[in-house]
Short mmCIF file of all heavy atoms in Angstrom, two decimals:
data_model
loop_
_atom_site.label_atom_id
_atom_site.label_comp_id
_atom_site.label_asym_id
_atom_site.label_seq_id
_atom_site.Cartn_x
_atom_site.Cartn_y
_atom_site.Cartn_z
N LEU B 77 82.49 -18.65 -41.51
CA LEU B 77 83.97 -18.79 -41.29
C LEU B 77 84.53 -19.76 -42.35
O LEU B 77 83.65 -20.72 -42.61
CB LEU B 77 84.30 -19.29 -39.83
CG LEU B 77 83.91 -18.30 -38.71
CD1 LEU B 77 84.01 -19.05 -37.36
CD2 LEU B 77 84.91 -17.12 -38.74
N ASN B 82 92.24 -16.07 -40.76
CA ASN B 82 93.10 -15.62 -39.59
C ASN B 82 92.13 -15.14 -38.57
O ASN B 82 91.21 -14.27 -38.86
CB ASN B 82 94.06 -14.64 -40.09
CG ASN B 82 95.22 -15.09 -40.89
OD1 ASN B 82 95.37 -16.35 -41.10
ND2 ASN B 82 96.03 -14.25 -41.57
N VAL B 85 90.82 -15.34 -30.73
CA VAL B 85 89.80 -16.10 -30.04
C VAL B 85 89.58 -15.32 -28.74
O VAL B 85 90.35 -15.10 -27.93
CB VAL B 85 90.39 -17.46 -29.81
CG1 VAL B 85 89.26 -18.31 -28.93
CG2 VAL B 85 90.55 -18.20 -31.15
N ALA B 128 82.90 -21.81 -32.54
CA ALA B 128 82.98 -20.89 -33.68
C ALA B 128 82.48 -19.41 -33.34
O ALA B 128 82.97 -18.30 -33.67
CB ALA B 128 82.12 -21.33 -34.90
N GLY B 135 91.02 -10.61 -41.09
CA GLY B 135 91.38 -10.06 -42.39
C GLY B 135 92.89 -9.99 -42.56
O GLY B 135 93.59 -10.92 -42.27
N VAL B 155 87.04 -0.20 -17.70
CA VAL B 155 86.56 1.09 -17.79
C VAL B 155 85.06 1.29 -18.07
O VAL B 155 84.36 1.96 -17.43
CB VAL B 155 87.34 1.88 -19.05
CG1 VAL B 155 86.89 3.30 -19.27
CG2 VAL B 155 88.81 1.88 -18.59
N SER B 159 82.26 4.05 -13.39
CA SER B 159 81.44 5.21 -13.48
C SER B 159 82.14 6.25 -14.16
O SER B 159 81.87 7.39 -14.29
CB SER B 159 81.11 5.87 -12.06
OG SER B 159 82.40 6.08 -11.33
N VAL B 166 91.83 10.51 -13.34
CA VAL B 166 91.98 9.04 -12.90
C VAL B 166 93.31 8.61 -12.34
O VAL B 166 94.39 9.08 -12.89
CB VAL B 166 91.46 8.18 -14.21
CG1 VAL B 166 91.40 6.74 -13.76
CG2 VAL B 166 90.20 8.66 -14.78
N MET B 222 97.88 16.41 -6.65
CA MET B 222 98.20 16.19 -8.09
C MET B 222 96.76 16.40 -8.87
O MET B 222 96.87 16.47 -10.08
CB MET B 222 98.77 14.90 -8.35
CG MET B 222 100.00 14.57 -7.60
SD MET B 222 100.52 12.92 -7.86
CE MET B 222 101.97 13.26 -8.94
N GLU B 233 92.64 -0.40 -9.85
CA GLU B 233 93.73 -1.21 -9.24
C GLU B 233 93.97 -2.44 -10.24
O GLU B 233 93.09 -3.24 -10.40
CB GLU B 233 93.18 -1.74 -7.89
CG GLU B 233 94.25 -2.13 -6.90
CD GLU B 233 94.92 -3.53 -7.33
OE1 GLU B 233 94.29 -4.23 -8.02
OE2 GLU B 233 96.18 -3.65 -7.15
N ALA B 244 95.30 1.92 -3.16
CA ALA B 244 93.96 2.46 -3.84
C ALA B 244 93.13 3.01 -2.87
O ALA B 244 92.52 4.18 -2.98
CB ALA B 244 93.39 1.28 -4.61
N GLU B 253 85.10 5.61 -6.33
CA GLU B 253 85.02 4.30 -6.78
C GLU B 253 86.37 3.63 -7.08
O GLU B 253 87.13 4.44 -7.63
CB GLU B 253 84.01 4.06 -8.03
CG GLU B 253 83.97 2.76 -8.40
CD GLU B 253 82.95 2.63 -9.73
OE1 GLU B 253 82.96 3.48 -10.55
OE2 GLU B 253 82.48 1.53 -10.07
N ILE B 278 83.89 -0.49 -4.08
CA ILE B 278 84.93 -1.29 -4.79
C ILE B 278 84.15 -2.20 -5.76
O ILE B 278 83.14 -2.85 -5.43
CB ILE B 278 85.62 -2.11 -3.79
CG1 ILE B 278 86.45 -1.42 -2.77
CG2 ILE B 278 86.56 -3.14 -4.55
CD1 ILE B 278 87.34 -2.07 -1.89
N GLU B 315 110.94 -22.72 -26.90
CA GLU B 315 111.59 -21.95 -25.85
C GLU B 315 110.70 -21.56 -24.75
O GLU B 315 111.03 -20.71 -24.00
CB GLU B 315 112.24 -20.78 -26.40
CG GLU B 315 113.33 -21.00 -27.46
CD GLU B 315 113.63 -19.75 -28.21
OE1 GLU B 315 112.78 -18.75 -28.32
OE2 GLU B 315 114.95 -19.48 -28.52
N LYS B 332 104.93 -7.43 -22.60
CA LYS B 332 104.11 -8.68 -23.11
C LYS B 332 105.11 -9.60 -23.81
O LYS B 332 105.67 -9.08 -24.89
CB LYS B 332 103.01 -8.20 -24.00
CG LYS B 332 102.15 -9.21 -24.58
CD LYS B 332 101.59 -10.27 -23.56
CE LYS B 332 100.46 -9.67 -22.82
NZ LYS B 332 99.96 -10.59 -21.61
#
Side-chain angles (χ1 to χ4, degrees):
L77 292 170
N82 289 348
V85 178
V155 176
S159 56
V166 187
M222 300 174 108
E233 200 289 332
E253 184 181 24
I278 298 183
E315 300 169 328
K332 179 57 73 182

